[in-house]
Amino acid sequence: MPGLGLTLVSGRHHLDREVRWVVPTDLRDPRRYLSGGELVLTGMMWRRAEPDSDAFVRNLTAAGVTALGAGDHPEFHTVPSDLVDACRRHDLPLFAVDADVAFAEITERIVQRLSAGRSGDLASLLDRHRRLIAADGIGQILELIDRELGMECQVLSPTGRALRGSLELGEEERAAIVARAHASDRLPQKVTLDRHRCCSVFGIGSTIHTGRFLVVGDDHTRWPPERRLVAEQLSALLMLELDDPSQRPAPHVELVTALREGRVDAHLLRSAGLPADGPAVVIAATGEPEALREAVVAEALQFDAGAARDPLRPPTAAWATCGGETVAVLAGPGAAPEERGRFLAWARRCAAVLAGAHPGGPGAVGVGIADPVRSPDGLRGALEQARHTAALAQPRPGRIEVAEPDHLVSHRMLLAAVPPDVSRAFRTRVLDPLLEYDARHRSDLLPTLRRFLECDGSWRQCAVSLHVHVNTVRYRMRRVEELTGRDLRNPLDRMDLALAVSLD
């Protein structure tokens, strides 16, 4: 197929390998979206340094892909030599993609060829799907799944919000499905809901930026190859229909850029779709990876969409990533003072679900939420406040911490001013005896101490929450006092232990 614009770089001895499917991706570790036999197309956005190439190719080889096509990167006119060497090392065929050929064109032409060979009517079915894109899009695609494949389905957000579909799923069921999907190395996955019910979850898209899931009410492991192929293609079509939050509208980027430069005005707010007056909240997120940072902000901004008739409608918000931080301006219900508590709870729930979900490894993201303001002039100060609260969030690997302005007057502000090595030394001196004792005796001194402090020193409340006898708590706390040299009856000693535990 010379019209595809693929030039062989290495791996001529493997040209007899079968291509089962095509997957475009810029994930550093896309194994969760691969099931073997794919031609992977990448724009190499994952490449920050030369060693990244070896890690990327190693992940593809582990997933059993057939070959790799590389190109479409604004900085590389040819395939980098480190990627060529990595493919040769791991014996993976490598193609250079012509800059004039879009990944979408390569995908469509190969899918047509595969479809014609595997099922007599599949190519016409896919053509019908493409025609649907030009019409109603997602609604008709989901109807097609119901009608043509005989399966009810539901589209879920990365945090388990129900976006669209006919499959009835409770809140706990959606949470279980999303947790399984995030924890899986690859999709689709079968999820058992109860003794009589199961479903299959497919990934929509190939990046954490979209991170949505197609859930069908059937066991995909029992499907014939043709049916699974159709489901995978439908997932790809849904990706085209759903907005990719990594591509922000120009007015959003312009508003955030102006806000960072201190020149935001009513005109910029209106251009971004926001009211020029009324309450508004600024959110700032820092940390890496960028994809995870953007995902938690995008989901948090859907606070008022949960109660809407159409959960896919854009929230009253504008956000973009500039200069290593993600900044958002939220207006409407989420910014109202009386809604602050509910919005913060929602943002923390989103963070808890997404923490550790990034397939490239654990991240560390801090999110700061400012107090509401009522005029464009106050947004600049709100941004500075949000940045300070994000810094106080103190994210640790695998965590997404959400902080609010109240933390600016708590012990977190003092801890944030202490150099990290001093904080670590303090925590080590206070808690290491407990950690060593727990490891040696397989005991629970540190968890019991944490719960004891959370219960304000109440023996009985701590015992009830841990489901142990009150004498067990007393024994463990005496052992804590002996090992740390602190007296839990002394307020200053208890403060030392509380601060050390907060750093753990």
Side-chain angles (χ1 to χ4, degrees):
M1 303 176 70
L4 293 182
L6 299 177
T7 303
L8 184 66
V9 177
S10 67
R12 182 172 298 275
H13 57 295
H14 283 312
L15 291 184
D16 57 344
R17 286 184 175 180
E18 179 182 352
V19 174
R20 187 186 61 81
W21 201 243
V22 186
V23 176
T25 181
D26 277 312
L27 275 179
R28 186 172 301 176
D29 183 1
R31 286 177 292 177
R32 65 184 304 169
Y33 298 101
L34 303 171
S35 55
E38 295 91 351
L39 168 63
V40 171
L41 302 176
T42 181
M44 298 176 287
M45 301 304 293
W46 44 263
R47 185 185 180 278
R48 304 296 173 86
E50 291 187 3
D52 293 341
S53 293
D54 188 81
F56 179 72
V57 175
R58 187 169 60 251
N59 289 329
L60 297 186
T61 304
V65 306
T66 293
L68 172 65
D72 197 31
H73 192 289
E75 296 182 8
F76 302 125
H77 300 292
T78 60
V79 179
S81 60
D82 48 277
L83 180 57
V84 177
D85 293 340
C87 288
R88 287 173 176 163
R89 239 184 342 266
H90 295 282
D91 203 21
L92 180 67
L94 173 64
F95 294 87
V97 180
D98 193 309
D100 296 329
V101 180
F103 284 179
E105 180 181 351
I106 297 173
T107 301
E108 182 173 3
R109 294 190 61 182
I110 293 180
V111 165
Q112 286 177 337
R113 175 74 67 89
L114 292 173
S115 301
R118 291 180 181 177
S119 174
D121 63 349
L122 187 56
S124 61
L125 180 60
L126 298 180
D127 285 338
R128 191 191 314 174
H129 294 172
R130 280 188 287 274
R131 288 196 301 271
L132 289 173
I133 293 177
D136 179 60
I138 181 172
Q140 292 189 16
I141 292 173
L142 296 180
E143 289 177 6
L144 187 65
I145 298 176
D146 286 348
R147 185 174 64 253
E148 300 288 343
L149 301 183
M151 294 179 286
E152 291 187 327
C153 61
Q154 179 68 256
V155 177
L156 301 182
S157 80
T159 59
R161 285 186 302 112
L163 299 181
R164 186 79 67 83
S166 58
L167 180 62
E168 293 290 338
L169 294 170
E171 183 176 350
E172 292 184 0
E173 291 175 329
R174 297 198 307 271
I177 291 169
V178 169
R180 175 67 180 274
H182 283 314
S184 301
D185 290 334
R186 62 181 63 178
L187 296 175
Q189 285 286 329
K190 174 185 174 182
V191 181
T192 301
L193 301 176
D194 55 42
R195 289 177 55 189
H196 307 289
R197 231 174 138 219
C198 72
C199 64
S200 297
V201 53
F202 291 78
I204 298 177
S206 57
T207 70
I208 189 66
H209 299 88
T210 46
R212 299 173 174 96
F213 305 104
L214 171 64
V215 183
V216 295
D218 197 11
D219 180 2
H220 75 280
T221 63
R222 299 182 179 181
W223 294 352
E226 291 79 8
R227 172 170 284 195
R228 178 163 172 171
L229 191 63
V230 171
E232 291 174 348
Q233 178 65 4
L234 285 167
S235 298
L237 293 177
L238 287 171
M239 175 190 68
L240 298 176
E241 284 300 322
L242 292 166
D243 172 46
D244 181 355
S246 67
Q247 304 298 323
R248 304 313 307 154
H252 288 202
V253 177
E254 185 178 0
L255 172 64
V256 170
T257 301
L259 177 58
R260 286 164 51 86
E261 296 173 356
R263 54 180 180 84
V264 67
D265 55 28
H267 172 72
L268 287 172
L269 286 169
R270 284 192 290 266
S271 297
L274 301 178
D277 53 7
V281 165
V282 175
I283 303 169
T286 59
E288 295 295 337
E290 178 181 307
L292 188 59
R293 186 176 73 227
E294 291 185 339
V296 69
V297 170
E299 279 298 292
L301 292 177
Q302 294 293 336
F303 167 72
D304 62 332
R309 291 184 179 180
D310 183 1
L312 287 173
R313 72 176 178 85
T316 311
W319 67 272
T321 293
C322 300
E325 70 175 352
T326 300
V327 176
V329 179
L330 171 67
E338 59 271 17
E339 292 283 351
R340 291 281 291 159
R342 289 183 58 240
F343 174 68
L344 286 166
W346 169 259
R348 291 193 175 97
R349 176 189 175 277
C350 295
V353 174
L354 290 170
H358 183 61
V365 175
V367 181
I369 300 175
D371 285 321
V373 295
R374 291 189 170 274
S375 68
D377 295 336
L379 290 176
R380 175 63 184 176
L383 174 59
E384 290 303 321
Q385 187 183 59
R387 284 170 168 168
H388 283 302
T389 53
L392 294 179
Q394 295 181 312
R396 298 183 291 278
R399 297 288 298 275
I400 303 173
E401 300 285 355
V402 178
E404 57 183 296
D406 287 348
H407 292 159
L408 291 172
V409 292
S410 73
H411 68 278
R412 287 193 177 207
M413 184 175 66
L414 296 177
L415 291 177
V418 177
D421 54 343
V422 176
S423 298
R424 285 192 296 270
F426 172 74
R427 175 196 170 279
T428 298
R429 291 288 297 273
V430 176
L431 297 185
D432 264 16
L434 303 183
L435 292 169
E436 293 172 2
Y437 186 91
D438 282 345
R440 189 166 60 250
H441 297 277
R442 297 184 178 180
S443 56
D444 296 309
L445 294 186
L446 183 55
T448 305
L449 172 62
R450 182 179 289 108
R451 185 57 59 86
F452 179 77
L453 294 170
E454 291 172 354
C455 294
D456 294 325
S458 169
W459 306 100
R460 186 170 299 280
Q461 185 178 347
C462 180
V464 170
S465 65
L466 293 175
H467 305 289
V468 299
H469 195 277
V470 68
N471 287 341
T472 301
V473 176
R474 292 182 185 275
Y475 169 79
R476 291 177 182 176
M477 291 302 96
R478 281 198 301 270
R479 181 63 68 183
V480 167
E481 290 178 328
E482 293 171 1
L483 292 171
T484 63
R486 262 75 172 181
D487 184 352
L488 286 168
R489 295 168 297 182
N490 186 313
L492 295 179
D493 284 354
R494 188 183 292 185
M495 184 184 301
D496 285 346
L497 292 169
L499 290 175
V501 166
S502 70
L503 294 170
D504 182 35

